[in-house]
Amino acid sequence: MVISDEPEISPPNTNLRSMAASSGAFDRALDIGVYGARGIPSTYSGYETFLTVLLPELAARNHRVTMYCRNGHGPGSGEYRGVRVVELPAIETKQLSTLSHGLLASIAARLERHDVVLVVNVANALFCILARSTGQRVVLNTDGQEWLRGKWGSVGRQVFRASARLAGLSSSGLIADSVAMREVYRSEFNVDSTVIPYCWTDISDFEDAGSVDEELGVERHRYFVIAGRMVPENHADDVAAAYAAVDTDWPLLILGEANYDSPVTKRITALAAENERIRAIGHVADRGRFSALLRDAGAYIHAHSVGGINPSLIEAMGSAALTVALDTPFNREALGDTGVYFNDFAGSLSGILSQAPEYEQRYGHLRTEARKRALTHFNRGGITDAYEQLLLSVHSRPAWATSVLATVWSEPV
């Protein structure tokens, strides 16, 4: 495996951990600090769900992992599956919660003198620069295009875009969750990233939870489902509006909520009041129940439009859902040819929804293919390997050096 400013692409079957172990790269246990997400354990939002899986994996490999969480978003300071959890306060408003917590967490992480700090959310780029200027090694996961999200006002979008411009200075290694997101940062901000996607969170442990059909009064493979945060760029309300215009007796279940006063939630509430087939279920914390709802649906509709690869899509694939996705480079990079795509809501999505009775016969085979892709291409072990090697690479080099790791996800498959 080559670590350089001009990374080489690894063969598709490369085992990162076995290659690095042969050279002694994994002999060193790291002290890793982590911040930028609300907290663990969590079943809400991409960062939190992912870190709930990733961090215990790193701890199980003998690394000392400390997660700085926000007060009130978890069980409190203590330990979770080998991960030290430290709660810190934040100013709980839509605009200030991330930044206020990031500032405090960055100070705490620097005082702890961690070997390397893993930060999620590009809004924390300025704090990463300050830490890096003192010699601390920092790895930043940039996630999606926050500056395009409808959740934020004009000031918020400007802050996120300014943070993205700082990304190259902010860390010793950037992580993009997809090739498409790496290209965004290359073309718009002239900085390279290591491509490591979010993993399948392996909720297969809960598959014995059984069917939830009776509980909700729906029939297996005869309902639609949406899952995700109720924010504008996920388009749950646009899906609901397209669905309302289609003559079908399959109900639409909407899973998820927003952590602020969302106009999407208000629109869905209004649509549901006019159409009893639209059912807003809210956030489903039980992972077995969540997986069963995706698995048993006639189709899971994924309309996320702002990159990169969304963890809820990987979860749907791993649950063997029949996925109908908005056609974006990010969604195609995740699904490949294991899903059905639509280009707009009133046109192609409505057409697909109206063909619902033919779904299982025409596309049912994609369920198995999608699950196989989630369990292989996005498996927990391989993604933990990549994070571990990047963290080790960053730690082994000067703070102002930049590590870019070639991974098996560096080209779409």
Side-chain angles (χ1 to χ4, degrees):
M1 186 62 60
V2 176
I3 306 287
S4 68
D5 290 335
E6 296 294 332
E8 296 179 5
I9 303 305
S10 305
N13 295 320
T14 294
N15 184 303
L16 295 172
R17 188 172 178 83
S18 64
M19 285 188 68
S22 66
S23 64
F26 285 91
D27 294 342
R28 167 81 166 126
L30 295 176
D31 183 340
I32 306 167
V34 184
Y35 72 86
R38 294 178 187 85
I40 62 168
S42 177
T43 59
Y44 179 81
S45 185
Y47 281 143
E48 285 76 15
T49 304
F50 174 59
L51 292 176
T52 297
V53 172
L54 175 70
L55 300 189
E57 288 289 314
L58 291 171
R61 298 180 180 196
N62 298 318
H63 301 294
R64 183 176 187 266
V65 183
T66 300
M67 171 73 185
Y68 296 95
C69 306
R70 298 182 202 173
N71 282 344
H73 288 276
S77 295
E79 184 177 291
Y80 173 71
R81 294 180 58 194
V83 179
R84 177 183 171 225
V85 176
V86 176
E87 284 204 344
L88 297 171
I91 301 173
E92 289 298 338
T93 69
K94 183 176 71 171
Q95 292 82 7
L96 295 177
S97 60
T98 295
L99 293 175
S100 61
H101 180 263
L103 175 60
L104 287 178
S106 66
I107 294 171
R110 191 66 194 94
L111 293 174
E112 283 282 332
R113 303 178 66 86
H114 299 293
D115 293 331
V116 61
V117 177
L118 171 62
V119 181
V120 297
N121 198 327
V122 74
N124 293 302
L126 178 59
F127 309 136
C128 294
I129 292 175
L130 296 175
R132 197 180 181 198
S133 69
T134 68
Q136 190 167 50
R137 278 75 170 170
V138 180
V139 171
L140 174 64
N141 183 317
T142 56
D143 193 50
Q145 297 159 291
E146 289 285 346
W147 59 91
L148 296 180
R149 296 190 188 279
K151 171 182 176 178
W152 308 112
S154 59
V155 174
R157 288 192 290 270
Q158 289 173 26
V159 169
F160 277 111
R161 191 163 187 87
S163 297
R165 290 194 188 100
L166 294 173
L169 293 174
S170 70
S171 69
S172 309
L174 289 181
I175 296 174
D177 65 20
S178 58
V179 172
M181 186 53 62
R182 180 189 66 188
E183 294 308 311
V184 168
Y185 271 79
R186 278 179 172 177
S187 62
E188 295 192 31
F189 309 114
N190 195 31
V191 63
D192 206 357
S193 310
T194 296
V195 179
I196 313 176
Y198 296 108
C199 65
W200 156 237
T201 52
D202 198 9
I203 51 180
S204 57
D205 295 346
F206 301 96
E207 285 181 353
D208 289 338
S211 174
V212 295
D213 303 350
E214 262 186 46
E215 177 187 345
L216 292 176
V218 294
E219 296 179 47
R220 185 170 184 265
H221 291 176
R222 290 187 60 82
Y223 64 90
F224 301 109
V225 66
I226 309 170
R229 285 182 292 170
M230 297 297 108
V231 292
E233 62 275 3
N234 291 353
H235 298 289
D237 53 339
D238 293 320
V239 172
Y243 165 86
V246 173
D247 183 17
T248 176
D249 59 357
W250 288 21
L252 172 67
L253 307 186
I254 303 175
L255 316 181
E257 59 187 23
N259 63 337
Y260 71 106
D261 187 19
S262 168
V264 173
T265 301
K266 292 178 180 177
R267 187 182 181 200
I268 287 174
T269 300
L271 287 166
E274 298 175 356
N275 191 322
E276 64 182 10
R277 297 173 301 153
I278 299 174
R279 300 171 60 184
I281 306 300
H283 176 61
V284 178
D286 183 278
R287 306 314 284 164
R289 187 167 182 254
F290 178 77
S291 180
L293 283 167
L294 299 183
R295 177 195 66 204
D296 289 351
Y300 161 70
I301 304 166
H302 186 82
H304 295 46
S305 61
V306 175
I309 290 179
N310 190 271
S312 64
L313 178 54
I314 306 302
E315 288 188 336
M317 293 165 62
S319 299
L322 176 52
T323 300
V324 176
L326 182 64
D327 195 354
T328 71
F330 309 103
N331 293 341
R332 279 198 176 269
E333 194 170 331
L335 263 178
D337 58 2
T338 70
V340 179
Y341 295 94
F342 66 94
N343 296 308
D344 63 272
F345 297 94
S348 59
L349 177 59
S350 293
I352 290 172
L353 296 179
S354 67
Q355 299 167 12
E358 305 170 25
Y359 273 21
E360 209 56 39
Q361 181 178 354
R362 292 176 61 185
Y363 304 119
H365 67 283
L366 296 179
R367 295 179 181 274
T368 301
E369 294 302 313
R371 178 169 169 79
K372 179 180 177 182
R373 183 174 174 85
L375 270 61
T376 55
H377 196 60
F378 301 104
N379 73 85
R380 180 193 306 191
I383 286 167
T384 305
D385 287 348
Y387 266 87
E388 187 176 29
Q389 191 176 3
L390 180 58
L391 291 167
L392 284 161
S393 172
V394 164
H395 176 256
S396 70
R397 304 180 70 188
W400 286 99
T402 301
S403 291
V404 179
L405 174 69
T407 70
V408 295
W409 307 279
S410 296
E411 296 293 336
V413 177

